[in-house]
Amino acid sequence: DGGITQSPKYLFRKEGQNVTLSCEQNLNHDAMYWYRQDPGQGLRLIYYSQIVNDFQKGDIAEGYSVSREKKESFPLTVTSAQKNPTAFYLCASSNPGQGLNEQFFGPGTRLTVL
Amino acid sequence: AQSVAQPEDQVNVAEGNPLTVKCTYSVSGNPYLFWYVQYPNRGLQFLLKYITGDNLVKGSYGFEAEFNKSQTSFHLKKPSALVSDSALYFCALRNSGGYQKVTFGTGTKLQVIP
């Protein structure tokens, strides 16, 4: 998991609350990603950012928001509009411009709605 | 549209025996293919990738994968399985043009039996 940190490791949310998941990388990567992992469904892309101040919706962006104000940081907010937010959330980064096509992943945040 | 299929939810193999985890893909254009491994409650770790060149790719921890264009497959292999190889394995596909969207398979749980 080196180079990418996610916090907190575990997060509990009450219904109706917004929560923000942190993702920081010190790999100097341009691209960053947020995935949601549910059992038996693999990884599904929520949002991605190819460069600072730019981001795009992935396959399941509804109920989520992001920002990319700094190259190192890509926080994800899970809003109250997300109806089923309990899942394992993974942040990743890559640098396709340098041929580093593979993604580097953080350790994940497990979000549980109470 | 691009897709990745991992047809086996779980693979069981005896320690010391060869293992194969299957992956097939569909994409227009040239594929970039990856294998990642995930241990419980952790992020994904990169194992190996195929971009171009030799169809047999060698990666971390003694794993290798064979790219077969005619069968659109990228199966992960290891000559002799270790108990410590027990984990969840993901195949991933990236297209070669434009924004490099990555599609993950649903994962295969590998259980190595002592």
Side-chain angles (χ1 to χ4, degrees), chain A residues 1 33 35 37 42 48 50 59 88 90 99 101-103 105-107 110, chain B residues 34 36 38 41-44 46 49 51 90 94 99-101 104-106:
Chain A
D1 303 333
Y33 314 78
Y35 293 94
Q37 185 178 16
Y48 62 93
Q50 292 182 266
D59 299 319
F88 190 52
L90 289 163
N101 305 288
E102 62 270 27
Q103 293 179 324
F105 284 81
R110 187 166 297 281
Chain B
F34 306 83
Y36 293 87
Q38 184 182 35
N41 296 309
R42 302 288 300 276
L44 277 66
F46 168 73
K49 65 183 176 183
I51 305 299
F90 289 97
R94 207 202 83 186
Y99 164 66
Q100 299 94 358
K101 179 181 177 181
F104 285 83
T106 52

PDB file of all heavy atoms in Angstrom, chain A residues 1 33 35 37 42 48 50 59 88 90 99 101-103 105-107 110, chain B residues 34 36 38 41-44 46 49 51 90 94 99-101 104-106:
ATOM      1  N   ASP A   1       0.828  -1.219   0.000  1.00  0.00           N
ATOM      2  CA  ASP A   1       0.000   0.000   0.000  1.00  0.00           C
ATOM      3  C   ASP A   1       0.857   1.262   0.000  1.00  0.00           C
ATOM      4  O   ASP A   1       0.338   2.361   0.119  1.00  0.00           O
ATOM      5  CB  ASP A   1      -0.894   0.038   1.229  1.00  0.00           C
ATOM      6  CG  ASP A   1      -1.780  -1.189   1.328  1.00  0.00           C
ATOM      7  OD1 ASP A   1      -2.088  -1.769   0.280  1.00  0.00           O
ATOM      8  OD2 ASP A   1      -2.141  -1.563   2.449  1.00  0.00           O
ATOM      9  N   TYR A  33      -8.138   7.863  -8.379  1.00  0.00           N
ATOM     10  CA  TYR A  33      -9.397   7.157  -8.599  1.00  0.00           C
ATOM     11  C   TYR A  33     -10.030   6.790  -7.260  1.00  0.00           C
ATOM     12  O   TYR A  33      -9.340   6.541  -6.284  1.00  0.00           O
ATOM     13  CB  TYR A  33      -9.172   5.845  -9.356  1.00  0.00           C
ATOM     14  CG  TYR A  33      -8.258   5.930 -10.556  1.00  0.00           C
ATOM     15  CD1 TYR A  33      -6.876   5.971 -10.408  1.00  0.00           C
ATOM     16  CD2 TYR A  33      -8.775   5.940 -11.841  1.00  0.00           C
ATOM     17  CE1 TYR A  33      -6.034   6.032 -11.494  1.00  0.00           C
ATOM     18  CE2 TYR A  33      -7.947   5.996 -12.951  1.00  0.00           C
ATOM     19  CZ  TYR A  33      -6.574   6.042 -12.770  1.00  0.00           C
ATOM     20  OH  TYR A  33      -5.748   6.104 -13.860  1.00  0.00           O
ATOM     21  N   TYR A  35     -12.797   3.847  -5.909  1.00  0.00           N
ATOM     22  CA  TYR A  35     -13.572   2.651  -6.213  1.00  0.00           C
ATOM     23  C   TYR A  35     -14.383   2.248  -4.996  1.00  0.00           C
ATOM     24  O   TYR A  35     -13.991   2.474  -3.858  1.00  0.00           O
ATOM     25  CB  TYR A  35     -12.658   1.481  -6.582  1.00  0.00           C
ATOM     26  CG  TYR A  35     -11.899   1.632  -7.865  1.00  0.00           C
ATOM     27  CD1 TYR A  35     -10.606   2.149  -7.869  1.00  0.00           C
ATOM     28  CD2 TYR A  35     -12.464   1.244  -9.070  1.00  0.00           C
ATOM     29  CE1 TYR A  35      -9.900   2.268  -9.056  1.00  0.00           C
ATOM     30  CE2 TYR A  35     -11.753   1.355 -10.266  1.00  0.00           C
ATOM     31  CZ  TYR A  35     -10.479   1.869 -10.246  1.00  0.00           C
ATOM     32  OH  TYR A  35      -9.784   1.978 -11.419  1.00  0.00           O
ATOM     33  N   GLN A  37     -15.994  -1.298  -3.358  1.00  0.00           N
ATOM     34  CA  GLN A  37     -15.917  -2.742  -3.440  1.00  0.00           C
ATOM     35  C   GLN A  37     -17.007  -3.359  -2.590  1.00  0.00           C
ATOM     36  O   GLN A  37     -17.103  -3.095  -1.389  1.00  0.00           O
ATOM     37  CB  GLN A  37     -14.546  -3.249  -2.984  1.00  0.00           C
ATOM     38  CG  GLN A  37     -14.378  -4.752  -3.156  1.00  0.00           C
ATOM     39  CD  GLN A  37     -12.999  -5.241  -2.756  1.00  0.00           C
ATOM     40  OE1 GLN A  37     -12.241  -4.561  -2.083  1.00  0.00           O
ATOM     41  NE2 GLN A  37     -12.656  -6.453  -3.184  1.00  0.00           N
ATOM     42  N   GLY A  42     -16.607  -7.134  -7.415  1.00  0.00           N
ATOM     43  CA  GLY A  42     -15.374  -6.515  -7.866  1.00  0.00           C
ATOM     44  C   GLY A  42     -15.310  -5.053  -7.479  1.00  0.00           C
ATOM     45  O   GLY A  42     -15.947  -4.616  -6.514  1.00  0.00           O
ATOM     46  N   TYR A  48     -12.985   9.689 -11.030  1.00  0.00           N
ATOM     47  CA  TYR A  48     -11.570   9.704 -11.309  1.00  0.00           C
ATOM     48  C   TYR A  48     -11.134  11.120 -11.681  1.00  0.00           C
ATOM     49  O   TYR A  48     -11.952  11.945 -12.100  1.00  0.00           O
ATOM     50  CB  TYR A  48     -11.195   8.719 -12.417  1.00  0.00           C
ATOM     51  CG  TYR A  48     -11.819   8.995 -13.767  1.00  0.00           C
ATOM     52  CD1 TYR A  48     -11.157   9.760 -14.728  1.00  0.00           C
ATOM     53  CD2 TYR A  48     -13.069   8.459 -14.086  1.00  0.00           C
ATOM     54  CE1 TYR A  48     -11.725   9.996 -15.960  1.00  0.00           C
ATOM     55  CE2 TYR A  48     -13.639   8.698 -15.324  1.00  0.00           C
ATOM     56  CZ  TYR A  48     -12.963   9.452 -16.258  1.00  0.00           C
ATOM     57  OH  TYR A  48     -13.545   9.689 -17.483  1.00  0.00           O
ATOM     58  N   GLN A  50      -7.809  13.049 -13.690  1.00  0.00           N
ATOM     59  CA  GLN A  50      -6.576  12.880 -14.448  1.00  0.00           C
ATOM     60  C   GLN A  50      -5.572  13.992 -14.160  1.00  0.00           C
ATOM     61  O   GLN A  50      -4.381  13.848 -14.466  1.00  0.00           O
ATOM     62  CB  GLN A  50      -6.875  12.861 -15.947  1.00  0.00           C
ATOM     63  CG  GLN A  50      -7.659  11.631 -16.379  1.00  0.00           C
ATOM     64  CD  GLN A  50      -7.894  11.605 -17.872  1.00  0.00           C
ATOM     65  OE1 GLN A  50      -8.917  12.052 -18.369  1.00  0.00           O
ATOM     66  NE2 GLN A  50      -6.950  11.073 -18.620  1.00  0.00           N
ATOM     67  N   ASP A  59     -18.692   5.018 -13.033  1.00  0.00           N
ATOM     68  CA  ASP A  59     -19.893   4.245 -13.319  1.00  0.00           C
ATOM     69  C   ASP A  59     -20.992   4.397 -12.262  1.00  0.00           C
ATOM     70  O   ASP A  59     -22.168   4.162 -12.546  1.00  0.00           O
ATOM     71  CB  ASP A  59     -19.529   2.762 -13.444  1.00  0.00           C
ATOM     72  CG  ASP A  59     -18.542   2.516 -14.574  1.00  0.00           C
ATOM     73  OD1 ASP A  59     -18.702   3.132 -15.646  1.00  0.00           O
ATOM     74  OD2 ASP A  59     -17.595   1.731 -14.380  1.00  0.00           O
ATOM     75  N   PHE A  88     -16.647  -1.118   1.163  1.00  0.00           N
ATOM     76  CA  PHE A  88     -15.205  -0.898   1.325  1.00  0.00           C
ATOM     77  C   PHE A  88     -14.782   0.031   0.201  1.00  0.00           C
ATOM     78  O   PHE A  88     -15.044  -0.246  -0.975  1.00  0.00           O
ATOM     79  CB  PHE A  88     -14.485  -2.256   1.242  1.00  0.00           C
ATOM     80  CG  PHE A  88     -13.038  -2.226   1.625  1.00  0.00           C
ATOM     81  CD1 PHE A  88     -12.632  -1.661   2.822  1.00  0.00           C
ATOM     82  CD2 PHE A  88     -12.081  -2.790   0.816  1.00  0.00           C
ATOM     83  CE1 PHE A  88     -11.296  -1.655   3.204  1.00  0.00           C
ATOM     84  CE2 PHE A  88     -10.736  -2.797   1.178  1.00  0.00           C
ATOM     85  CZ  PHE A  88     -10.340  -2.225   2.366  1.00  0.00           C
ATOM     86  N   LEU A  90     -11.888   2.140  -1.884  1.00  0.00           N
ATOM     87  CA  LEU A  90     -10.471   2.100  -2.231  1.00  0.00           C
ATOM     88  C   LEU A  90     -10.104   3.284  -3.103  1.00  0.00           C
ATOM     89  O   LEU A  90     -10.783   3.600  -4.070  1.00  0.00           O
ATOM     90  CB  LEU A  90     -10.151   0.806  -2.986  1.00  0.00           C
ATOM     91  CG  LEU A  90     -10.178  -0.464  -2.142  1.00  0.00           C
ATOM     92  CD1 LEU A  90     -10.256  -1.686  -3.025  1.00  0.00           C
ATOM     93  CD2 LEU A  90      -8.943  -0.532  -1.252  1.00  0.00           C
ATOM     94  N   GLY A  99       4.199   5.891 -18.424  1.00  0.00           N
ATOM     95  CA  GLY A  99       4.124   4.462 -18.717  1.00  0.00           C
ATOM     96  C   GLY A  99       3.816   3.611 -17.518  1.00  0.00           C
ATOM     97  O   GLY A  99       3.839   2.393 -17.607  1.00  0.00           O
ATOM     98  N   ASN A 101       1.343   2.233 -16.078  1.00  0.00           N
ATOM     99  CA  ASN A 101      -0.060   1.983 -16.337  1.00  0.00           C
ATOM    100  C   ASN A 101      -0.776   1.348 -15.164  1.00  0.00           C
ATOM    101  O   ASN A 101      -1.989   1.456 -15.057  1.00  0.00           O
ATOM    102  CB  ASN A 101      -0.189   1.092 -17.562  1.00  0.00           C
ATOM    103  CG  ASN A 101       0.527   1.679 -18.760  1.00  0.00           C
ATOM    104  OD1 ASN A 101       0.074   2.653 -19.334  1.00  0.00           O
ATOM    105  ND2 ASN A 101       1.648   1.088 -19.127  1.00  0.00           N
ATOM    106  N   GLU A 102      -0.014   0.668 -14.312  1.00  0.00           N
ATOM    107  CA  GLU A 102      -0.686   0.006 -13.198  1.00  0.00           C
ATOM    108  C   GLU A 102      -1.103   1.036 -12.157  1.00  0.00           C
ATOM    109  O   GLU A 102      -0.532   2.120 -12.062  1.00  0.00           O
ATOM    110  CB  GLU A 102       0.204  -1.053 -12.552  1.00  0.00           C
ATOM    111  CG  GLU A 102       1.485  -0.522 -11.934  1.00  0.00           C
ATOM    112  CD  GLU A 102       2.639  -0.517 -12.915  1.00  0.00           C
ATOM    113  OE1 GLU A 102       2.398  -0.414 -14.142  1.00  0.00           O
ATOM    114  OE2 GLU A 102       3.796  -0.624 -12.455  1.00  0.00           O
ATOM    115  N   GLN A 103      -2.109   0.660 -11.393  1.00  0.00           N
ATOM    116  CA  GLN A 103      -2.607   1.528 -10.331  1.00  0.00           C
ATOM    117  C   GLN A 103      -2.018   1.096  -8.990  1.00  0.00           C
ATOM    118  O   GLN A 103      -1.783  -0.087  -8.758  1.00  0.00           O
ATOM    119  CB  GLN A 103      -4.136   1.478 -10.279  1.00  0.00           C
ATOM    120  CG  GLN A 103      -4.787   2.087 -11.514  1.00  0.00           C
ATOM    121  CD  GLN A 103      -6.299   2.007 -11.474  1.00  0.00           C
ATOM    122  OE1 GLN A 103      -6.869   1.053 -10.999  1.00  0.00           O
ATOM    123  NE2 GLN A 103      -6.956   3.027 -12.005  1.00  0.00           N
ATOM    124  N   PHE A 105      -2.755   1.221  -4.954  1.00  0.00           N
ATOM    125  CA  PHE A 105      -3.941   1.335  -4.113  1.00  0.00           C
ATOM    126  C   PHE A 105      -3.590   1.671  -2.671  1.00  0.00           C
ATOM    127  O   PHE A 105      -2.552   1.246  -2.150  1.00  0.00           O
ATOM    128  CB  PHE A 105      -4.727   0.024  -4.124  1.00  0.00           C
ATOM    129  CG  PHE A 105      -5.511  -0.194  -5.380  1.00  0.00           C
ATOM    130  CD1 PHE A 105      -4.905  -0.687  -6.516  1.00  0.00           C
ATOM    131  CD2 PHE A 105      -6.862   0.120  -5.428  1.00  0.00           C
ATOM    132  CE1 PHE A 105      -5.632  -0.874  -7.690  1.00  0.00           C
ATOM    133  CE2 PHE A 105      -7.592  -0.065  -6.584  1.00  0.00           C
ATOM    134  CZ  PHE A 105      -6.981  -0.561  -7.713  1.00  0.00           C
ATOM    135  N   GLY A 106      -4.492   2.410  -2.038  1.00  0.00           N
ATOM    136  CA  GLY A 106      -4.410   2.623  -0.610  1.00  0.00           C
ATOM    137  C   GLY A 106      -4.974   1.432   0.137  1.00  0.00           C
ATOM    138  O   GLY A 106      -5.494   0.496  -0.464  1.00  0.00           O
ATOM    139  N   PRO A 107      -4.913   1.460   1.482  1.00  0.00           N
ATOM    140  CA  PRO A 107      -5.359   0.331   2.300  1.00  0.00           C
ATOM    141  C   PRO A 107      -6.870   0.235   2.443  1.00  0.00           C
ATOM    142  O   PRO A 107      -7.373  -0.778   2.938  1.00  0.00           O
ATOM    143  CB  PRO A 107      -4.695   0.593   3.641  1.00  0.00           C
ATOM    144  CG  PRO A 107      -4.531   2.073   3.682  1.00  0.00           C
ATOM    145  CD  PRO A 107      -4.260   2.504   2.278  1.00  0.00           C
ATOM    146  N   ARG A 110     -13.382   1.244   5.391  1.00  0.00           N
ATOM    147  CA  ARG A 110     -14.640   0.483   5.474  1.00  0.00           C
ATOM    148  C   ARG A 110     -15.696   1.380   6.112  1.00  0.00           C
ATOM    149  O   ARG A 110     -15.576   1.760   7.280  1.00  0.00           O
ATOM    150  CB  ARG A 110     -14.466  -0.799   6.274  1.00  0.00           C
ATOM    151  CG  ARG A 110     -15.710  -1.687   6.228  1.00  0.00           C
ATOM    152  CD  ARG A 110     -15.438  -3.087   6.731  1.00  0.00           C
ATOM    153  NE  ARG A 110     -14.481  -3.815   5.929  1.00  0.00           N
ATOM    154  CZ  ARG A 110     -14.753  -4.414   4.763  1.00  0.00           C
ATOM    155  NH1 ARG A 110     -15.978  -4.371   4.273  1.00  0.00           N
ATOM    156  NH2 ARG A 110     -13.814  -5.071   4.115  1.00  0.00           N
TER     157      ARG A 110
ATOM    158  N   PHE B  34      -3.910  -6.537 -16.562  1.00  0.00           N
ATOM    159  CA  PHE B  34      -3.247  -6.510 -15.264  1.00  0.00           C
ATOM    160  C   PHE B  34      -3.810  -7.604 -14.361  1.00  0.00           C
ATOM    161  O   PHE B  34      -4.982  -7.987 -14.493  1.00  0.00           O
ATOM    162  CB  PHE B  34      -3.487  -5.161 -14.562  1.00  0.00           C
ATOM    163  CG  PHE B  34      -3.117  -3.962 -15.383  1.00  0.00           C
ATOM    164  CD1 PHE B  34      -3.997  -3.444 -16.319  1.00  0.00           C
ATOM    165  CD2 PHE B  34      -1.901  -3.341 -15.197  1.00  0.00           C
ATOM    166  CE1 PHE B  34      -3.661  -2.337 -17.081  1.00  0.00           C
ATOM    167  CE2 PHE B  34      -1.558  -2.225 -15.953  1.00  0.00           C
ATOM    168  CZ  PHE B  34      -2.443  -1.737 -16.888  1.00  0.00           C
ATOM    169  N   TYR B  36      -4.013  -8.192 -10.104  1.00  0.00           N
ATOM    170  CA  TYR B  36      -3.793  -7.655  -8.770  1.00  0.00           C
ATOM    171  C   TYR B  36      -4.196  -8.718  -7.750  1.00  0.00           C
ATOM    172  O   TYR B  36      -5.047  -9.557  -8.013  1.00  0.00           O
ATOM    173  CB  TYR B  36      -4.658  -6.414  -8.521  1.00  0.00           C
ATOM    174  CG  TYR B  36      -4.307  -5.205  -9.347  1.00  0.00           C
ATOM    175  CD1 TYR B  36      -4.855  -5.035 -10.619  1.00  0.00           C
ATOM    176  CD2 TYR B  36      -3.450  -4.225  -8.854  1.00  0.00           C
ATOM    177  CE1 TYR B  36      -4.542  -3.917 -11.378  1.00  0.00           C
ATOM    178  CE2 TYR B  36      -3.140  -3.103  -9.601  1.00  0.00           C
ATOM    179  CZ  TYR B  36      -3.692  -2.962 -10.866  1.00  0.00           C
ATOM    180  OH  TYR B  36      -3.385  -1.849 -11.610  1.00  0.00           O
ATOM    181  N   GLN B  38      -5.422  -9.185  -3.559  1.00  0.00           N
ATOM    182  CA  GLN B  38      -5.934  -8.486  -2.381  1.00  0.00           C
ATOM    183  C   GLN B  38      -6.011  -9.448  -1.211  1.00  0.00           C
ATOM    184  O   GLN B  38      -6.659 -10.489  -1.299  1.00  0.00           O
ATOM    185  CB  GLN B  38      -7.319  -7.891  -2.661  1.00  0.00           C
ATOM    186  CG  GLN B  38      -7.856  -7.073  -1.491  1.00  0.00           C
ATOM    187  CD  GLN B  38      -9.236  -6.521  -1.759  1.00  0.00           C
ATOM    188  OE1 GLN B  38     -10.058  -7.151  -2.412  1.00  0.00           O
ATOM    189  NE2 GLN B  38      -9.504  -5.317  -1.263  1.00  0.00           N
ATOM    190  N   ASN B  41      -9.152  -7.176   3.976  1.00  0.00           N
ATOM    191  CA  ASN B  41      -9.189  -5.818   4.517  1.00  0.00           C
ATOM    192  C   ASN B  41      -7.975  -4.985   4.124  1.00  0.00           C
ATOM    193  O   ASN B  41      -7.549  -4.113   4.878  1.00  0.00           O
ATOM    194  CB  ASN B  41      -9.340  -5.850   6.041  1.00  0.00           C
ATOM    195  CG  ASN B  41     -10.667  -6.456   6.450  1.00  0.00           C
ATOM    196  OD1 ASN B  41     -11.717  -6.048   5.954  1.00  0.00           O
ATOM    197  ND2 ASN B  41     -10.623  -7.441   7.321  1.00  0.00           N
ATOM    198  N   ARG B  42      -7.443  -5.249   2.961  1.00  0.00           N
ATOM    199  CA  ARG B  42      -6.305  -4.495   2.452  1.00  0.00           C
ATOM    200  C   ARG B  42      -6.621  -3.962   1.062  1.00  0.00           C
ATOM    201  O   ARG B  42      -7.583  -4.371   0.402  1.00  0.00           O
ATOM    202  CB  ARG B  42      -5.062  -5.392   2.374  1.00  0.00           C
ATOM    203  CG  ARG B  42      -4.645  -6.023   3.669  1.00  0.00           C
ATOM    204  CD  ARG B  42      -4.049  -5.003   4.629  1.00  0.00           C
ATOM    205  NE  ARG B  42      -2.862  -4.353   4.093  1.00  0.00           N
ATOM    206  CZ  ARG B  42      -1.641  -4.857   4.168  1.00  0.00           C
ATOM    207  NH1 ARG B  42      -1.433  -6.030   4.740  1.00  0.00           N
ATOM    208  NH2 ARG B  42      -0.624  -4.195   3.683  1.00  0.00           N
ATOM    209  N   GLY B  43      -5.792  -3.044   0.596  1.00  0.00           N
ATOM    210  CA  GLY B  43      -5.897  -2.588  -0.777  1.00  0.00           C
ATOM    211  C   GLY B  43      -5.349  -3.623  -1.741  1.00  0.00           C
ATOM    212  O   GLY B  43      -4.822  -4.649  -1.331  1.00  0.00           O
ATOM    213  N   LEU B  44      -5.476  -3.349  -3.026  1.00  0.00           N
ATOM    214  CA  LEU B  44      -4.974  -4.264  -4.039  1.00  0.00           C
ATOM    215  C   LEU B  44      -3.485  -4.031  -4.267  1.00  0.00           C
ATOM    216  O   LEU B  44      -3.003  -2.895  -4.203  1.00  0.00           O
ATOM    217  CB  LEU B  44      -5.708  -4.047  -5.367  1.00  0.00           C
ATOM    218  CG  LEU B  44      -7.051  -4.745  -5.536  1.00  0.00           C
ATOM    219  CD1 LEU B  44      -8.088  -4.187  -4.578  1.00  0.00           C
ATOM    220  CD2 LEU B  44      -7.525  -4.632  -6.977  1.00  0.00           C
ATOM    221  N   PHE B  46      -0.365  -4.744  -7.057  1.00  0.00           N
ATOM    222  CA  PHE B  46      -0.069  -5.077  -8.437  1.00  0.00           C
ATOM    223  C   PHE B  46       0.825  -6.317  -8.517  1.00  0.00           C
ATOM    224  O   PHE B  46       1.803  -6.432  -7.774  1.00  0.00           O
ATOM    225  CB  PHE B  46       0.625  -3.878  -9.078  1.00  0.00           C
ATOM    226  CG  PHE B  46       1.245  -4.141 -10.409  1.00  0.00           C
ATOM    227  CD1 PHE B  46       0.454  -4.297 -11.527  1.00  0.00           C
ATOM    228  CD2 PHE B  46       2.617  -4.211 -10.537  1.00  0.00           C
ATOM    229  CE1 PHE B  46       1.034  -4.528 -12.765  1.00  0.00           C
ATOM    230  CE2 PHE B  46       3.214  -4.438 -11.762  1.00  0.00           C
ATOM    231  CZ  PHE B  46       2.416  -4.598 -12.884  1.00  0.00           C
ATOM    232  N   LYS B  49       1.655  -7.170 -15.505  1.00  0.00           N
ATOM    233  CA  LYS B  49       0.880  -6.537 -16.563  1.00  0.00           C
ATOM    234  C   LYS B  49       1.367  -6.991 -17.928  1.00  0.00           C
ATOM    235  O   LYS B  49       2.536  -7.362 -18.102  1.00  0.00           O
ATOM    236  CB  LYS B  49       0.981  -5.005 -16.456  1.00  0.00           C
ATOM    237  CG  LYS B  49       2.383  -4.458 -16.694  1.00  0.00           C
ATOM    238  CD  LYS B  49       2.429  -2.949 -16.511  1.00  0.00           C
ATOM    239  CE  LYS B  49       3.855  -2.419 -16.644  1.00  0.00           C
ATOM    240  NZ  LYS B  49       3.923  -0.948 -16.384  1.00  0.00           N
ATOM    241  N   ILE B  51       1.447  -5.306 -21.686  1.00  0.00           N
ATOM    242  CA  ILE B  51       1.225  -4.115 -22.509  1.00  0.00           C
ATOM    243  C   ILE B  51       1.453  -4.466 -23.967  1.00  0.00           C
ATOM    244  O   ILE B  51       0.611  -4.218 -24.824  1.00  0.00           O
ATOM    245  CB  ILE B  51       2.146  -2.957 -22.077  1.00  0.00           C
ATOM    246  CG1 ILE B  51       1.959  -2.658 -20.575  1.00  0.00           C
ATOM    247  CG2 ILE B  51       1.893  -1.719 -22.927  1.00  0.00           C
ATOM    248  CD1 ILE B  51       0.563  -2.234 -20.203  1.00  0.00           C
ATOM    249  N   PHE B  90      -7.691 -10.267  -8.773  1.00  0.00           N
ATOM    250  CA  PHE B  90      -8.472  -9.489  -9.731  1.00  0.00           C
ATOM    251  C   PHE B  90      -7.708  -9.333 -11.031  1.00  0.00           C
ATOM    252  O   PHE B  90      -6.530  -8.964 -11.037  1.00  0.00           O
ATOM    253  CB  PHE B  90      -8.770  -8.085  -9.189  1.00  0.00           C
ATOM    254  CG  PHE B  90      -9.763  -8.061  -8.075  1.00  0.00           C
ATOM    255  CD1 PHE B  90      -9.347  -8.027  -6.752  1.00  0.00           C
ATOM    256  CD2 PHE B  90     -11.128  -8.059  -8.341  1.00  0.00           C
ATOM    257  CE1 PHE B  90     -10.262  -7.994  -5.720  1.00  0.00           C
ATOM    258  CE2 PHE B  90     -12.054  -8.027  -7.314  1.00  0.00           C
ATOM    259  CZ  PHE B  90     -11.613  -8.002  -6.000  1.00  0.00           C
ATOM    260  N   ARG B  94      -7.399  -2.327 -19.354  1.00  0.00           N
ATOM    261  CA  ARG B  94      -7.390  -0.918 -19.700  1.00  0.00           C
ATOM    262  C   ARG B  94      -7.286  -0.794 -21.202  1.00  0.00           C
ATOM    263  O   ARG B  94      -6.536  -1.541 -21.826  1.00  0.00           O
ATOM    264  CB  ARG B  94      -6.195  -0.235 -19.042  1.00  0.00           C
ATOM    265  CG  ARG B  94      -6.363   1.238 -18.764  1.00  0.00           C
ATOM    266  CD  ARG B  94      -5.030   1.909 -18.631  1.00  0.00           C
ATOM    267  NE  ARG B  94      -4.514   2.223 -19.944  1.00  0.00           N
ATOM    268  CZ  ARG B  94      -3.294   2.711 -20.161  1.00  0.00           C
ATOM    269  NH1 ARG B  94      -2.469   2.887 -19.165  1.00  0.00           N
ATOM    270  NH2 ARG B  94      -2.892   2.989 -21.374  1.00  0.00           N
ATOM    271  N   TYR B  99      -8.816   8.422 -22.603  1.00  0.00           N
ATOM    272  CA  TYR B  99      -8.724   8.218 -21.172  1.00  0.00           C
ATOM    273  C   TYR B  99      -8.678   6.725 -20.924  1.00  0.00           C
ATOM    274  O   TYR B  99      -9.482   5.964 -21.431  1.00  0.00           O
ATOM    275  CB  TYR B  99      -9.896   8.818 -20.401  1.00  0.00           C
ATOM    276  CG  TYR B  99      -9.931   8.249 -19.021  1.00  0.00           C
ATOM    277  CD1 TYR B  99      -8.898   8.521 -18.127  1.00  0.00           C
ATOM    278  CD2 TYR B  99     -10.922   7.349 -18.639  1.00  0.00           C
ATOM    279  CE1 TYR B  99      -8.873   7.944 -16.879  1.00  0.00           C
ATOM    280  CE2 TYR B  99     -10.907   6.777 -17.375  1.00  0.00           C
ATOM    281  CZ  TYR B  99      -9.872   7.070 -16.516  1.00  0.00           C
ATOM    282  OH  TYR B  99      -9.844   6.483 -15.279  1.00  0.00           O
ATOM    283  N   GLN B 100      -7.750   6.332 -20.110  1.00  0.00           N
ATOM    284  CA  GLN B 100      -7.508   4.910 -19.925  1.00  0.00           C
ATOM    285  C   GLN B 100      -8.394   4.376 -18.814  1.00  0.00           C
ATOM    286  O   GLN B 100      -7.950   4.177 -17.680  1.00  0.00           O
ATOM    287  CB  GLN B 100      -6.037   4.660 -19.615  1.00  0.00           C
ATOM    288  CG  GLN B 100      -5.108   5.118 -20.724  1.00  0.00           C
ATOM    289  CD  GLN B 100      -4.589   6.521 -20.498  1.00  0.00           C
ATOM    290  OE1 GLN B 100      -4.955   7.164 -19.514  1.00  0.00           O
ATOM    291  NE2 GLN B 100      -3.754   7.008 -21.379  1.00  0.00           N
ATOM    292  N   LYS B 101      -9.641   4.119 -19.147  1.00  0.00           N
ATOM    293  CA  LYS B 101     -10.547   3.555 -18.157  1.00  0.00           C
ATOM    294  C   LYS B 101     -10.143   2.129 -17.843  1.00  0.00           C
ATOM    295  O   LYS B 101      -9.829   1.338 -18.729  1.00  0.00           O
ATOM    296  CB  LYS B 101     -11.985   3.567 -18.675  1.00  0.00           C
ATOM    297  CG  LYS B 101     -12.969   2.962 -17.699  1.00  0.00           C
ATOM    298  CD  LYS B 101     -14.387   2.954 -18.241  1.00  0.00           C
ATOM    299  CE  LYS B 101     -15.329   2.279 -17.257  1.00  0.00           C
ATOM    300  NZ  LYS B 101     -16.709   2.241 -17.763  1.00  0.00           N
ATOM    301  N   PHE B 104     -12.396  -3.798 -13.906  1.00  0.00           N
ATOM    302  CA  PHE B 104     -11.964  -4.930 -13.093  1.00  0.00           C
ATOM    303  C   PHE B 104     -12.934  -6.095 -13.225  1.00  0.00           C
ATOM    304  O   PHE B 104     -14.154  -5.901 -13.372  1.00  0.00           O
ATOM    305  CB  PHE B 104     -11.882  -4.526 -11.613  1.00  0.00           C
ATOM    306  CG  PHE B 104     -10.695  -3.676 -11.288  1.00  0.00           C
ATOM    307  CD1 PHE B 104     -10.728  -2.311 -11.498  1.00  0.00           C
ATOM    308  CD2 PHE B 104      -9.543  -4.241 -10.779  1.00  0.00           C
ATOM    309  CE1 PHE B 104      -9.630  -1.511 -11.201  1.00  0.00           C
ATOM    310  CE2 PHE B 104      -8.436  -3.456 -10.473  1.00  0.00           C
ATOM    311  CZ  PHE B 104      -8.488  -2.093 -10.698  1.00  0.00           C
ATOM    312  N   GLY B 105     -12.387  -7.301 -13.144  1.00  0.00           N
ATOM    313  CA  GLY B 105     -13.235  -8.477 -13.012  1.00  0.00           C
ATOM    314  C   GLY B 105     -13.816  -8.553 -11.612  1.00  0.00           C
ATOM    315  O   GLY B 105     -13.494  -7.731 -10.741  1.00  0.00           O
ATOM    316  N   THR B 106     -14.651  -9.540 -11.384  1.00  0.00           N
ATOM    317  CA  THR B 106     -15.337  -9.665 -10.099  1.00  0.00           C
ATOM    318  C   THR B 106     -14.485 -10.351  -9.036  1.00  0.00           C
ATOM    319  O   THR B 106     -14.879 -10.435  -7.887  1.00  0.00           O
ATOM    320  CB  THR B 106     -16.654 -10.438 -10.256  1.00  0.00           C
ATOM    321  OG1 THR B 106     -16.376 -11.669 -10.923  1.00  0.00           O
ATOM    322  CG2 THR B 106     -17.662  -9.621 -11.061  1.00  0.00           C
TER     323      THR B 106
END
